[in-house]
């Protein structure tokens, strides 16, 4: 019998980690399932299979651990999968919009190439969906903190993990707030900064012909174009283009008097902070909020930053995923949000079987 | 769509109602270092602006003076409020031949 061509299990490409296993999912659903079963050989690991796609008839498997996961979650997810009517499913990302309840700027489903991350999710009481021809497994439901954490957090010491999580949370805030605060203190709210700094900023901007917000939008656009072109180029030419783009944006633009050096620093810090997160969708959400905050601070000044903060927090609180609140601060969540404690209990929102170990 | 329209309406209302400071680019902002008030005949107010200029060695400062004459202090204060690009919050005030009760 002729076998479909499949590639060998590669090393992890996108979700890099310092410690932990390095194997990755591939496009074959059977192999991916075996990678998880290798880690969780227990008979409690259950799976349900269906075919989705009128023409592609793509195999889709729903994995969960019986006794840990909530039955209602499995049934709700299965019902959603069964009700999908689509021509074809070419990748797991096709299923995302059917599994989310409402439009969300923030991501609610994790797509991962890592079998260890998928296995960890199953042990937490989550569901993993494998799709044939896709090297990405879908994990749901997820909370806001799941997008701030990485697999390295669970392989390193608590102290190191806590420190890195604080850095990530700061990066989240810096990515959104930095350009907006800069615009507000250089156009309306001069009182917020010390006088020597105000002189430095004024000197730096003295030759720039554009208003600060035009400069900011220009730099954000240039940075996004550079990032996008870097992704599409091959590794050999990509790095050369990146260096060229960086030099043009950085050095030449300042020398030509188009932008001020401080604006480049502000946008660079903000954009690099956004790259710290593995989730592309979270990066997109940060970009949207960065621009929203920029518009609000241009119109309202520092009050606009306050209005933006209210919108951001209300959006986070309003977001739901499979019936679970995106921000949920019960005890285990608090224990694991920033400070990593060695807790042997699972999240009570996800499961009633909370004891993980001793 | 309805929510978006309501949100835009609320933002416009906030723009009208809230005490938002005027938009002034740093290039147009005059940072006043010192204000001298001379009360001899009429009120003469001298605004001393400190202008930072970026040089190779660092930042160098130049000074520029604006002299204005007013019939009364009230008129002077009113005129200052109209000059939105004058940043005087950190300025030192010096008085010459003025009585303290005027302030």
């Amino acid at each position: 019998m002729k076998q479909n061509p499949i590639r060998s299990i590669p090393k992890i490409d996108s979700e890099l980690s310092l410690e932990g296993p390095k194997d990755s999912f591939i496009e074959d659903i059977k192999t991916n399932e075996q990678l998880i079963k290798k880690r969780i050989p227990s008979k409690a690991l259950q799976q349900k299979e269906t075919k989705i796609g009128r023409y592609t008839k793509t195999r889709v498997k729903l994995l969960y651990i019986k006794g840990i996961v909530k039955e209602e979650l499995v049934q709700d997810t299965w019902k959603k999968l069964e009700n999908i009517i689509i021509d074809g499913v070419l990748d797991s990302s096709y299923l995302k919009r059917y599994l989310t309840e409402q439009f969300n700027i923030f991501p609610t489903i994790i797509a991962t190439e890592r079998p260890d991350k998928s296995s960890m999710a199953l042990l937490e009481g989550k569901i993993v969906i494998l799709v044939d021809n896709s090297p990405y497994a879908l994990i749901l439901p997820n909370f806001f903190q799941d997008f701030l954490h990485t697999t390295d957090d669970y392989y390193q010491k608590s102290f190191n993990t806590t420190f890195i999580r604080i850095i990530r949370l700061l990066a989240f805030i810096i990515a959104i707030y930095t350009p907006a605060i800069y615009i507000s203190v250089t156009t309306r709210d001069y009182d917020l900064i010390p006088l020597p700094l105000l002189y430095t900023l004024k000197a730096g901007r003295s030759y720039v012909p554009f208003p600060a917000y035009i400069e900011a939008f220009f730099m954000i656009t240039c940075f996004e174009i550079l990032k996008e072109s870097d992704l599409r180029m091959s590794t050999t030419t990509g790095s050369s283009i990146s260096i060229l783009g960086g030099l043009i944006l950085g050095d030449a633009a300042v020398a030509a008097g188009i932008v001020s050096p401080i604006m480049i620093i502000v946008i660079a810090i903000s954009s690099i902070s956004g790259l710290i997160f593995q989730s592309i969708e979270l990066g997109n959400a940060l970009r949207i909020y960065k621009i929203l905050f920029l518009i609000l601070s241009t119109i309202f000044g520092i009050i606009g930053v306050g209005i933006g903060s209210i919108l951001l927090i209300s959006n986070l609180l309003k977001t739901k995923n499979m019936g679970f609140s995106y921000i949920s601060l019960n005890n285990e969540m608090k224990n694991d949000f920033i400070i990593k404690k060695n807790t042997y209990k699972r999240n009570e929102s996800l499961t009633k079987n909370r004891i993980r170990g001793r | 769509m309805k929510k978006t329209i309501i949100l835009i309406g609320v933002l416009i209302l906030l723009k009208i109602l809230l005490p938002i400071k005027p938009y002034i680019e740093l290039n147009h902002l005059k940072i006043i270092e010192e204000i001298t008030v001379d009360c001899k005949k009429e009120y003469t107010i001298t605004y001393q602006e400190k202008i930072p200029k970026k040089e190779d060695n660092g930042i160098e400062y130049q000074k520029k003076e604006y002299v204005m004459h007013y019939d009364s202090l009230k008129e002077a204060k009113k005129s200052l409020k109209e000059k939105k690009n004058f940043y005087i919050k950190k300025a030192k005030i010096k008085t010459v031949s003025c009585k303290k009760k005027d302030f």
Side-chain angles (χ1 to χ4, degrees), chain A residues 186-187 190 201-212 215 257 260, chain B residues 24-31 49 51 85:
Chain A
T186 56
T187 56
Y190 308 106
L201 294 175
K202 188 172 160 67
R205 291 212 73 242
S206 57
Y207 53 85
V208 177
F210 304 113
E215 218 186 319
S260 60
Chain B
I24 303 163
E25 282 288 328
L26 270 180
N27 294 351
H28 305 132
L29 187 74
K30 295 185 194 322
I31 305 173
E49 185 194 356
I51 307 168
N85 60 339

Side-chain angles (χ1 to χ4, degrees), chain A residues 182-183 185-191 193-196 198-213 261 296 298-301 303 307 311 318, chain B residues 3 7 10-16 18-33 49-54 59-61 84 87 89-91:
Chain A
Y182 175 73
I183 294 293
V185 300
T186 56
T187 56
R188 292 182 200 268
D189 303 285
Y190 308 106
D191 303 336
I193 52 174
L195 198 55
L198 191 60
Y199 283 129
T200 308
L201 294 175
K202 188 172 160 67
R205 291 212 73 242
S206 57
Y207 53 85
V208 177
F210 304 113
Y213 63 92
L296 286 170
T298 304
I299 300 169
F300 297 101
I303 294 172
I307 295 169
L311 288 171
K318 208 180 60 167
Chain B
K3 281 182 187 172
L7 185 65
V10 167
L11 288 174
I12 293 168
L13 205 63
L14 285 171
K15 175 85 176 148
I16 298 164
L18 290 173
I20 295 161
K21 291 175 187 174
Y23 182 95
I24 303 163
E25 282 288 328
L26 270 180
N27 294 351
H28 305 132
L29 187 74
K30 295 185 194 322
I31 305 173
I32 305 298
E33 190 187 29
E49 185 194 356
K50 194 174 172 183
I51 307 168
K53 283 252 188 275
K54 200 161 183 285
I59 297 173
E60 283 183 11
Y61 296 93
K84 293 192 190 313
Y87 182 63
K89 284 205 171 154
K90 309 251 168 109

Side-chain angles (χ1 to χ4, degrees), chain A residues 283-351:
Chain A
N284 293 340
L286 290 175
R287 192 192 308 138
I288 291 169
Y289 269 101
K290 184 191 332 185
I291 293 170
L292 176 68
F293 269 63
L294 201 55
I295 293 169
L296 286 170
S297 76
T298 304
I299 300 169
F300 297 101
I302 204 73
I303 294 172
V305 176
I307 295 169
S309 304
I310 292 168
L311 288 171
L312 172 65
I313 292 167
S314 67
N315 185 14
L316 284 170
L317 290 171
K318 208 180 60 167
T319 302
K320 285 209 182 299
N321 177 220
M322 305 300 292
F324 296 94
S325 295
Y326 199 53
I327 300 258
S328 174
L329 291 176
N330 55 35
N331 280 333
E332 278 63 55
M333 300 280 285
K334 272 189 260 185
N335 284 342
D336 204 31
F337 186 51
I338 297 292
I339 299 169
K340 186 189 166 198
K341 288 186 186 176
N342 291 324
T343 175
Y344 295 105
K345 288 186 181 171
R346 293 191 185 90
N347 182 352
E348 63 183 339
S349 308
L350 280 174
T351 178

Side-chain angles (χ1 to χ4, degrees), chain B residues 73 98-103:
Chain B
L73 198 60
C98 287
K99 290 173 193 168
K100 275 190 184 169
K101 67 171 185 179
D102 289 337
F103 294 92

Side-chain angles (χ1 to χ4, degrees), chain A residues 15-299:
Chain A
E15 296 167 70
L16 300 171
S17 67
L18 297 170
E19 294 182 47
K22 305 279 185 257
D23 56 345
S24 157
F25 285 136
I26 60 170
E27 285 79 7
D28 181 47
I29 195 171
K30 215 172 167 181
T31 312
N32 294 343
E33 195 188 349
Q34 285 306 315
L35 284 171
I36 294 177
K37 278 188 173 170
K38 194 171 77 162
R39 288 165 167 86
I40 309 175
S42 166
K43 285 181 186 167
L45 178 64
Q46 305 280 304
Q47 53 112 350
K48 286 185 171 194
E49 186 173 332
T50 185
K51 286 188 181 175
I52 301 176
R54 206 179 301 142
Y55 297 103
T56 58
K57 307 251 185 270
T58 309
R59 289 169 67 197
V60 174
K61 285 196 182 184
L62 188 147
L63 298 164
Y64 61 95
I65 295 181
K66 195 172 179 179
I68 297 179
V69 77
K70 281 185 175 175
E71 282 300 322
E72 308 88 66
L73 176 62
V74 176
Q75 280 159 23
D76 284 343
T77 315
W78 184 244
K79 202 174 165 186
K80 282 184 178 167
L81 286 175
E82 294 253 272
N83 289 338
I84 294 174
I85 299 168
I86 192 172
D87 274 0
V89 176
L90 300 174
D91 186 66
S92 57
S93 54
Y94 279 55
L95 303 180
K96 279 186 190 174
R97 70 179 174 97
Y98 295 96
L99 296 169
T100 48
E101 289 152 359
Q102 55 194 359
F103 172 72
N104 285 314
I105 293 177
F106 283 97
T108 51
I109 297 177
I110 290 176
T112 180
E113 285 187 300
R114 299 187 68 112
D116 59 332
K117 191 168 177 175
S118 306
S119 307
M120 264 187 233
L122 286 166
L123 292 167
E124 286 296 317
K126 294 185 183 181
I127 285 171
V128 169
I129 296 173
L130 299 175
V131 177
D132 202 15
N133 302 318
S134 175
Y136 288 93
L138 300 179
I139 299 174
L140 61 148
N142 296 292
F143 303 96
F144 175 62
Q145 67 193 54
D146 293 325
F147 295 93
L148 298 187
H149 297 171
T150 64
T151 40
D152 263 333
D153 292 4
Y154 301 97
Y155 298 133
Q156 293 187 17
K157 285 184 184 176
S158 303
F159 177 78
N160 295 339
T161 302
T162 303
F163 180 74
I164 294 294
R165 282 178 181 180
I166 292 170
I167 299 289
R168 281 192 213 123
L169 188 63
L170 279 172
F172 181 84
I173 295 167
I174 288 168
I176 296 175
Y177 283 83
T178 314
I181 290 177
Y182 175 73
I183 294 293
S184 82
V185 300
T186 56
T187 56
R188 292 182 200 268
D189 303 285
Y190 308 106
D191 303 336
L192 295 174
I193 52 174
L195 198 55
L197 181 59
L198 191 60
Y199 283 129
T200 308
L201 294 175
K202 188 172 160 67
R205 291 212 73 242
S206 57
Y207 53 85
V208 177
F210 304 113
Y213 63 92
I214 298 279
E215 218 186 319
F217 278 115
F218 173 69
M219 288 307 306
I220 288 170
T221 309
C222 289
F223 191 89
E224 292 299 329
I225 290 170
L226 192 66
K227 200 171 81 173
E228 196 61 26
S229 64
D230 194 45
L231 277 173
R232 308 289 162 228
M233 299 294 284
S234 64
T235 328
T236 42
T237 49
S239 53
S240 310
I241 300 284
S242 299
I243 292 165
L244 197 66
L247 278 173
I248 289 169
L249 285 178
D251 211 30
V254 172
I258 296 170
V259 293
S260 60
I262 190 77
M263 182 58 81
I264 292 179
I265 293 168
V266 163
I267 300 300
I269 286 173
S270 166
S271 302
I272 290 167
S273 299
L275 295 173
I276 208 172
F277 304 102
Q278 285 178 341
S279 169
I280 296 167
E281 288 178 355
L282 183 61
N284 293 340
L286 290 175
R287 192 192 308 138
I288 291 169
Y289 269 101
K290 184 191 332 185
I291 293 170
L292 176 68
F293 269 63
L294 201 55
I295 293 169
L296 286 170
S297 76
T298 304
I299 300 169

